Amino acid sequence: HFEDCEGGDRLSYNLSFNQDRLISALAQTKKKMITIIVSGNAVAMPWLNNVTTLVQSWYLGSEAGHALADILSGDVCPSGKTIFTYAEKLEDYPAHKYGLYAYPGVEPDKLPASYQYGNEEQPKSADLLKNIKTKPDVIGANNSSKNMRTHFGKGNEIEVYAEDILVGYRYFETIPGAAEKVVYPFGYGLSYSTFKYSNLKVNDSGVSFTIENTSDVDGKEIAQLYIGKRTSSIYRPLKELKGFAKVDIKAHEKVDITLPFDEYTFRFFNVNKNEWDIEQGAYQIYVGGSSESTPLETSYIKDGSEVNKIEGIDSYYNGEVSNVSDEEFAKLLGRELPKDDIKPSKKYRPDVT
């Protein structure tokens, strides 16, 4: 099936088999209701404002019932965090702003001269997948395929990653207005405990700070370190995750935490030099419990190289990621894009990992 499995793409961002209708109908009873989502991915939640409690359980295996019972009964304090951003709709994610050229991909001879569509209406990715069986001439389809599992069957489709590094929280945190489409941010999670961050310090080795458990319940918190650079010659997200630590904190206790810097913390790939580099100057240091909630912030001066700004990528600098042209993408990439006659060195099938 194509609902939530390996080797195939979901056909919809919504829950399958009328589960949205079921949850909405149950919520209309106005009774307190705990909704548990068992999935491996984010889903649309049109009923969210009408349910009392929401639990994302992921796939817990054969002991899922016992684990959930321990959490819901209070025997265990939850401490999990989201591993990606939950957006309202599939179209809110950056890749889906480029039509099917970004997902699920097209055959080389169908690449557009530019990724700016203008007023031309592009078919939606979900519609493409649904039509594969009945319309085998749709871009990317295998004419001989009778199995949806080979819907990209020719094996030579090209996907354009024009959103570059603006994936997930790096997109939603950076592009103006994008955060309004976020239901739950990256790194977010509730607990029976509550935590307070304080006393942020930074030196050449890393950052240190204090977390206090302000509740009556022993708990665990996942502290996250993000770094950004407001004045930069390169194209950057507002912030990027650079470290994290899960700590056990007893009720009303304080714990001092250190997150070290390493050789990856400040570096970026300089396409002009074709090597990893560090841009000199002031960096912003953010610490908190999710990408959206970083109550601790300070600045840090880092030695490095003077970096030349990449010219001619205004759509990126202006946050207009849906207007990126192939010329701009090539400049940011540091090399020419694949030609129409490109041939893959190896064929892959989506049902083989």
Side-chain angles (χ1 to χ4, degrees):
H1 63 83
F2 283 81
E3 305 304 333
D4 196 2
C5 61
E6 295 184 18
D9 293 297
R10 294 159 57 193
L11 302 184
S12 172
Y13 189 54
N14 290 80
L15 289 172
S16 56
F17 308 121
N18 289 318
Q19 292 179 87
D20 285 331
R21 290 179 57 193
L22 174 61
I23 294 173
S24 297
L26 291 172
Q28 294 303 312
T29 64
K30 305 299 182 181
K31 295 181 179 179
K32 292 184 178 181
M33 183 175 75
I34 298 173
T35 304
I36 301 173
I37 301 297
V38 181
S39 72
N41 297 282
V43 298
M45 302 178 188
W47 34 259
L48 183 60
N49 292 333
N50 297 320
V51 300
T52 308
T53 304
L54 176 66
V55 177
Q56 173 68 54
S57 80
W58 314 110
Y59 292 114
L60 302 180
S62 58
E63 288 298 310
H66 289 137
L68 287 169
D70 288 342
I71 292 291
L72 297 178
S73 65
D75 287 345
V76 174
C77 183
S79 57
K81 301 278 189 171
T82 54
I83 56 175
F84 37 64
T85 303
Y86 284 68
E88 292 180 3
K89 299 179 297 183
L90 186 65
E91 292 77 16
D92 295 330
Y93 290 97
H96 291 271
K97 294 185 177 299
Y98 300 93
L100 56 86
Y101 301 112
Y103 174 83
V106 299
E107 294 173 25
D109 61 349
K110 293 183 174 64
L111 277 173
S114 171
Y115 305 123
Q116 299 185 57
Y117 303 142
N119 295 323
E120 180 184 356
E121 184 177 353
Q122 297 297 318
K124 295 181 179 179
S125 302
D127 293 337
L128 173 71
L129 296 180
K130 290 178 181 178
N131 291 335
I132 291 296
K133 282 187 175 180
T134 57
K135 300 178 181 179
D137 57 334
V138 174
I139 293 175
N142 185 340
N143 291 340
S144 63
S145 175
K146 295 182 179 179
N147 185 342
M148 283 288 288
R149 193 171 288 277
T150 58
H151 51 245
F152 303 150
K154 290 186 177 179
N156 64 340
E157 291 80 6
I158 289 179
E159 294 183 15
V160 180
Y161 288 76
E163 69 272 28
D164 195 63
I165 56 176
L166 291 189
V167 177
Y169 74 91
R170 289 176 290 190
Y171 168 80
F172 290 103
E173 294 274 339
T174 304
I175 301 303
E180 299 174 2
K181 304 297 184 179
V182 173
V183 180
Y184 294 113
F186 171 78
Y188 172 85
L190 296 179
S191 170
Y192 298 141
S193 304
T194 54
F195 303 98
K196 179 181 178 181
Y197 287 75
S198 64
N199 198 30
L200 175 62
K201 298 178 182 179
V202 59
N203 56 38
D204 293 342
S205 299
V207 301
S208 63
F209 51 94
T210 301
I211 300 181
E212 178 183 2
N213 185 338
T214 57
S215 72
D216 298 326
V217 181
D218 296 348
K220 296 178 182 179
E221 169 69 331
I222 302 177
Q224 300 157 46
L225 165 66
Y226 296 86
I227 290 180
K229 199 173 192 302
R230 289 175 184 157
T231 303
S232 177
S233 296
I234 68 171
Y235 180 59
R236 294 178 180 270
L238 176 67
K239 63 180 71 159
E240 297 178 273
L241 180 69
K242 295 297 182 177
F244 60 91
K246 188 170 187 176
V247 290
D248 195 340
I249 310 177
K250 302 296 182 182
H252 303 291
E253 285 190 355
K254 296 181 179 181
V255 173
D256 294 326
I257 299 169
T258 298
L259 293 177
F261 296 149
D262 58 26
E263 67 270 28
Y264 306 106
T265 302
F266 297 95
R267 78 177 192 175
F268 74 101
F269 192 79
N270 191 328
V271 297
N272 294 322
K273 296 181 178 180
N274 197 35
E275 64 183 22
W276 293 102
D277 201 356
I278 294 177
E279 184 182 15
Q280 66 182 11
Y283 286 79
Q284 275 61 51
I285 309 296
Y286 308 88
V287 173
S290 75
S291 63
E292 187 179 75
S293 177
T294 51
L296 302 185
E297 180 180 345
T298 189
S299 60
Y300 171 71
I301 305 298
K302 178 66 177 177
D303 293 332
S305 304
E306 184 176 347
V307 178
N308 295 324
K309 182 178 179 180
I310 301 176
E311 302 294 342
I313 57 170
D314 291 345
S315 294
Y316 283 108
Y317 286 122
N318 296 333
E320 300 171 349
V321 294
S322 59
N323 292 330
V324 173
S325 66
D326 50 354
E327 291 83 5
E328 290 177 303
F329 185 33
K331 288 182 179 180
L332 190 64
L333 189 63
R335 62 179 185 271
E336 292 185 3
L337 299 184
K339 302 299 183 182
D340 287 356
D341 59 353
I342 185 173
K343 299 297 181 183
S345 59
K346 184 178 179 180
K347 288 190 175 182
Y348 294 91
R349 299 201 325 269
D351 56 336
V352 175
T353 57

PDB file of all heavy atoms in Angstrom, residues 319-339:
ATOM      1  N   GLY A 319      14.644  35.647  -0.224  1.00  0.00           N
ATOM      2  CA  GLY A 319      13.711  34.681   0.336  1.00  0.00           C
ATOM      3  C   GLY A 319      12.644  34.228  -0.626  1.00  0.00           C
ATOM      4  O   GLY A 319      11.656  33.620  -0.224  1.00  0.00           O
ATOM      5  N   GLU A 320      12.822  34.483  -1.926  1.00  0.00           N
ATOM      6  CA  GLU A 320      11.818  34.096  -2.927  1.00  0.00           C
ATOM      7  C   GLU A 320      12.196  32.740  -3.524  1.00  0.00           C
ATOM      8  O   GLU A 320      12.516  32.622  -4.714  1.00  0.00           O
ATOM      9  CB  GLU A 320      11.737  35.175  -4.004  1.00  0.00           C
ATOM     10  CG  GLU A 320      11.346  36.538  -3.455  1.00  0.00           C
ATOM     11  CD  GLU A 320      11.471  37.650  -4.482  1.00  0.00           C
ATOM     12  OE1 GLU A 320      12.061  37.400  -5.548  1.00  0.00           O
ATOM     13  OE2 GLU A 320      10.981  38.757  -4.201  1.00  0.00           O
ATOM     14  N   VAL A 321      12.146  31.718  -2.701  1.00  0.00           N
ATOM     15  CA  VAL A 321      12.659  30.410  -3.130  1.00  0.00           C
ATOM     16  C   VAL A 321      11.835  29.795  -4.252  1.00  0.00           C
ATOM     17  O   VAL A 321      12.341  28.960  -5.010  1.00  0.00           O
ATOM     18  CB  VAL A 321      12.727  29.436  -1.933  1.00  0.00           C
ATOM     19  CG1 VAL A 321      13.745  29.910  -0.928  1.00  0.00           C
ATOM     20  CG2 VAL A 321      11.360  29.283  -1.273  1.00  0.00           C
ATOM     21  N   SER A 322      10.588  30.192  -4.383  1.00  0.00           N
ATOM     22  CA  SER A 322       9.770  29.630  -5.457  1.00  0.00           C
ATOM     23  C   SER A 322      10.059  30.305  -6.799  1.00  0.00           C
ATOM     24  O   SER A 322       9.524  29.895  -7.827  1.00  0.00           O
ATOM     25  CB  SER A 322       8.278  29.766  -5.126  1.00  0.00           C
ATOM     26  OG  SER A 322       7.923  31.122  -4.933  1.00  0.00           O
ATOM     27  N   ASN A 323      10.904  31.329  -6.807  1.00  0.00           N
ATOM     28  CA  ASN A 323      11.247  32.031  -8.046  1.00  0.00           C
ATOM     29  C   ASN A 323      12.668  31.745  -8.506  1.00  0.00           C
ATOM     30  O   ASN A 323      13.181  32.421  -9.401  1.00  0.00           O
ATOM     31  CB  ASN A 323      11.086  33.545  -7.859  1.00  0.00           C
ATOM     32  CG  ASN A 323       9.645  33.953  -7.675  1.00  0.00           C
ATOM     33  OD1 ASN A 323       8.741  33.305  -8.192  1.00  0.00           O
ATOM     34  ND2 ASN A 323       9.423  35.019  -6.934  1.00  0.00           N
ATOM     35  N   VAL A 324      13.318  30.770  -7.891  1.00  0.00           N
ATOM     36  CA  VAL A 324      14.707  30.477  -8.237  1.00  0.00           C
ATOM     37  C   VAL A 324      14.813  29.975  -9.672  1.00  0.00           C
ATOM     38  O   VAL A 324      14.098  29.052 -10.076  1.00  0.00           O
ATOM     39  CB  VAL A 324      15.286  29.420  -7.269  1.00  0.00           C
ATOM     40  CG1 VAL A 324      16.673  28.969  -7.731  1.00  0.00           C
ATOM     41  CG2 VAL A 324      15.364  29.993  -5.859  1.00  0.00           C
ATOM     42  N   SER A 325      15.697  30.575 -10.453  1.00  0.00           N
ATOM     43  CA  SER A 325      15.920  30.147 -11.824  1.00  0.00           C
ATOM     44  C   SER A 325      17.035  29.113 -11.865  1.00  0.00           C
ATOM     45  O   SER A 325      17.782  28.944 -10.898  1.00  0.00           O
ATOM     46  CB  SER A 325      16.299  31.343 -12.701  1.00  0.00           C
ATOM     47  OG  SER A 325      17.568  31.862 -12.308  1.00  0.00           O
ATOM     48  N   ASP A 326      17.157  28.437 -13.007  1.00  0.00           N
ATOM     49  CA  ASP A 326      18.232  27.460 -13.117  1.00  0.00           C
ATOM     50  C   ASP A 326      19.602  28.140 -13.098  1.00  0.00           C
ATOM     51  O   ASP A 326      20.585  27.571 -12.630  1.00  0.00           O
ATOM     52  CB  ASP A 326      18.054  26.597 -14.369  1.00  0.00           C
ATOM     53  CG  ASP A 326      17.828  27.412 -15.625  1.00  0.00           C
ATOM     54  OD1 ASP A 326      17.703  28.647 -15.503  1.00  0.00           O
ATOM     55  OD2 ASP A 326      17.775  26.829 -16.719  1.00  0.00           O
ATOM     56  N   GLU A 327      19.673  29.382 -13.589  1.00  0.00           N
ATOM     57  CA  GLU A 327      20.937  30.105 -13.539  1.00  0.00           C
ATOM     58  C   GLU A 327      21.353  30.398 -12.102  1.00  0.00           C
ATOM     59  O   GLU A 327      22.527  30.252 -11.735  1.00  0.00           O
ATOM     60  CB  GLU A 327      20.827  31.416 -14.328  1.00  0.00           C
ATOM     61  CG  GLU A 327      20.704  31.245 -15.832  1.00  0.00           C
ATOM     62  CD  GLU A 327      19.272  30.975 -16.270  1.00  0.00           C
ATOM     63  OE1 GLU A 327      18.367  31.013 -15.409  1.00  0.00           O
ATOM     64  OE2 GLU A 327      19.068  30.707 -17.475  1.00  0.00           O
ATOM     65  N   GLU A 328      20.395  30.825 -11.271  1.00  0.00           N
ATOM     66  CA  GLU A 328      20.691  31.101  -9.867  1.00  0.00           C
ATOM     67  C   GLU A 328      21.084  29.825  -9.140  1.00  0.00           C
ATOM     68  O   GLU A 328      22.022  29.818  -8.323  1.00  0.00           O
ATOM     69  CB  GLU A 328      19.475  31.738  -9.193  1.00  0.00           C
ATOM     70  CG  GLU A 328      19.187  33.154  -9.649  1.00  0.00           C
ATOM     71  CD  GLU A 328      17.932  33.706  -9.019  1.00  0.00           C
ATOM     72  OE1 GLU A 328      16.854  33.084  -9.175  1.00  0.00           O
ATOM     73  OE2 GLU A 328      18.011  34.757  -8.365  1.00  0.00           O
ATOM     74  N   PHE A 329      20.355  28.750  -9.413  1.00  0.00           N
ATOM     75  CA  PHE A 329      20.658  27.472  -8.768  1.00  0.00           C
ATOM     76  C   PHE A 329      22.073  27.019  -9.113  1.00  0.00           C
ATOM     77  O   PHE A 329      22.818  26.538  -8.258  1.00  0.00           O
ATOM     78  CB  PHE A 329      19.622  26.431  -9.191  1.00  0.00           C
ATOM     79  CG  PHE A 329      19.761  25.101  -8.512  1.00  0.00           C
ATOM     80  CD1 PHE A 329      20.225  24.997  -7.207  1.00  0.00           C
ATOM     81  CD2 PHE A 329      19.408  23.930  -9.172  1.00  0.00           C
ATOM     82  CE1 PHE A 329      20.342  23.769  -6.583  1.00  0.00           C
ATOM     83  CE2 PHE A 329      19.530  22.698  -8.558  1.00  0.00           C
ATOM     84  CZ  PHE A 329      19.994  22.620  -7.256  1.00  0.00           C
ATOM     85  N   ALA A 330      22.470  27.187 -10.382  1.00  0.00           N
ATOM     86  CA  ALA A 330      23.805  26.773 -10.813  1.00  0.00           C
ATOM     87  C   ALA A 330      24.889  27.584 -10.113  1.00  0.00           C
ATOM     88  O   ALA A 330      25.932  27.050  -9.721  1.00  0.00           O
ATOM     89  CB  ALA A 330      23.928  26.913 -12.323  1.00  0.00           C
ATOM     90  N   LYS A 331      24.644  28.882  -9.925  1.00  0.00           N
ATOM     91  CA  LYS A 331      25.634  29.724  -9.248  1.00  0.00           C
ATOM     92  C   LYS A 331      25.795  29.319  -7.792  1.00  0.00           C
ATOM     93  O   LYS A 331      26.908  29.284  -7.261  1.00  0.00           O
ATOM     94  CB  LYS A 331      25.221  31.189  -9.355  1.00  0.00           C
ATOM     95  CG  LYS A 331      25.378  31.768 -10.754  1.00  0.00           C
ATOM     96  CD  LYS A 331      24.988  33.232 -10.793  1.00  0.00           C
ATOM     97  CE  LYS A 331      25.185  33.802 -12.199  1.00  0.00           C
ATOM     98  NZ  LYS A 331      24.816  35.231 -12.270  1.00  0.00           N
ATOM     99  N   LEU A 332      24.684  29.028  -7.136  1.00  0.00           N
ATOM    100  CA  LEU A 332      24.766  28.603  -5.742  1.00  0.00           C
ATOM    101  C   LEU A 332      25.400  27.220  -5.630  1.00  0.00           C
ATOM    102  O   LEU A 332      26.152  26.946  -4.685  1.00  0.00           O
ATOM    103  CB  LEU A 332      23.367  28.580  -5.126  1.00  0.00           C
ATOM    104  CG  LEU A 332      23.299  28.397  -3.608  1.00  0.00           C
ATOM    105  CD1 LEU A 332      23.948  29.576  -2.893  1.00  0.00           C
ATOM    106  CD2 LEU A 332      21.865  28.240  -3.144  1.00  0.00           C
ATOM    107  N   LEU A 333      25.131  26.365  -6.596  1.00  0.00           N
ATOM    108  CA  LEU A 333      25.678  25.019  -6.605  1.00  0.00           C
ATOM    109  C   LEU A 333      27.172  25.029  -6.887  1.00  0.00           C
ATOM    110  O   LEU A 333      27.915  24.160  -6.417  1.00  0.00           O
ATOM    111  CB  LEU A 333      24.951  24.168  -7.652  1.00  0.00           C
ATOM    112  CG  LEU A 333      25.225  22.668  -7.691  1.00  0.00           C
ATOM    113  CD1 LEU A 333      24.792  22.002  -6.398  1.00  0.00           C
ATOM    114  CD2 LEU A 333      24.517  22.037  -8.883  1.00  0.00           C
ATOM    115  N   GLY A 334      27.617  26.011  -7.665  1.00  0.00           N
ATOM    116  CA  GLY A 334      29.033  26.115  -7.977  1.00  0.00           C
ATOM    117  C   GLY A 334      29.442  25.390  -9.241  1.00  0.00           C
ATOM    118  O   GLY A 334      30.636  25.280  -9.538  1.00  0.00           O
ATOM    119  N   ARG A 335      28.478  24.910 -10.008  1.00  0.00           N
ATOM    120  CA  ARG A 335      28.777  24.232 -11.268  1.00  0.00           C
ATOM    121  C   ARG A 335      27.522  24.231 -12.133  1.00  0.00           C
ATOM    122  O   ARG A 335      26.433  24.543 -11.661  1.00  0.00           O
ATOM    123  CB  ARG A 335      29.236  22.791 -11.026  1.00  0.00           C
ATOM    124  CG  ARG A 335      28.209  21.891 -10.356  1.00  0.00           C
ATOM    125  CD  ARG A 335      28.734  20.479 -10.181  1.00  0.00           C
ATOM    126  NE  ARG A 335      27.745  19.573  -9.659  1.00  0.00           N
ATOM    127  CZ  ARG A 335      27.520  19.351  -8.381  1.00  0.00           C
ATOM    128  NH1 ARG A 335      28.236  19.995  -7.479  1.00  0.00           N
ATOM    129  NH2 ARG A 335      26.603  18.486  -7.984  1.00  0.00           N
ATOM    130  N   GLU A 336      27.695  23.875 -13.395  1.00  0.00           N
ATOM    131  CA  GLU A 336      26.556  23.838 -14.295  1.00  0.00           C
ATOM    132  C   GLU A 336      25.595  22.722 -13.909  1.00  0.00           C
ATOM    133  O   GLU A 336      26.000  21.693 -13.367  1.00  0.00           O
ATOM    134  CB  GLU A 336      27.030  23.632 -15.738  1.00  0.00           C
ATOM    135  CG  GLU A 336      27.793  24.814 -16.312  1.00  0.00           C
ATOM    136  CD  GLU A 336      28.123  24.610 -17.780  1.00  0.00           C
ATOM    137  OE1 GLU A 336      27.689  23.571 -18.335  1.00  0.00           O
ATOM    138  OE2 GLU A 336      28.789  25.472 -18.364  1.00  0.00           O
ATOM    139  N   LEU A 337      24.328  22.934 -14.206  1.00  0.00           N
ATOM    140  CA  LEU A 337      23.323  21.901 -13.950  1.00  0.00           C
ATOM    141  C   LEU A 337      23.435  20.788 -14.986  1.00  0.00           C
ATOM    142  O   LEU A 337      24.007  20.981 -16.058  1.00  0.00           O
ATOM    143  CB  LEU A 337      21.919  22.508 -13.996  1.00  0.00           C
ATOM    144  CG  LEU A 337      21.614  23.605 -12.982  1.00  0.00           C
ATOM    145  CD1 LEU A 337      20.167  24.028 -13.100  1.00  0.00           C
ATOM    146  CD2 LEU A 337      21.931  23.153 -11.568  1.00  0.00           C
ATOM    147  N   PRO A 338      22.903  19.608 -14.688  1.00  0.00           N
ATOM    148  CA  PRO A 338      22.948  18.504 -15.655  1.00  0.00           C
ATOM    149  C   PRO A 338      22.281  18.885 -16.970  1.00  0.00           C
ATOM    150  O   PRO A 338      21.282  19.593 -16.996  1.00  0.00           O
ATOM    151  CB  PRO A 338      22.168  17.383 -14.945  1.00  0.00           C
ATOM    152  CG  PRO A 338      22.258  17.722 -13.501  1.00  0.00           C
ATOM    153  CD  PRO A 338      22.281  19.217 -13.423  1.00  0.00           C
ATOM    154  N   LYS A 339      22.854  18.401 -18.063  1.00  0.00           N
ATOM    155  CA  LYS A 339      22.270  18.652 -19.371  1.00  0.00           C
ATOM    156  C   LYS A 339      21.101  17.707 -19.607  1.00  0.00           C
ATOM    157  O   LYS A 339      20.933  16.709 -18.914  1.00  0.00           O
ATOM    158  CB  LYS A 339      23.326  18.477 -20.464  1.00  0.00           C
ATOM    159  CG  LYS A 339      24.531  19.387 -20.299  1.00  0.00           C
ATOM    160  CD  LYS A 339      24.156  20.856 -20.352  1.00  0.00           C
ATOM    161  CE  LYS A 339      25.380  21.748 -20.258  1.00  0.00           C
ATOM    162  NZ  LYS A 339      25.031  23.187 -20.254  1.00  0.00           N
TER     163      LYS A 339
END
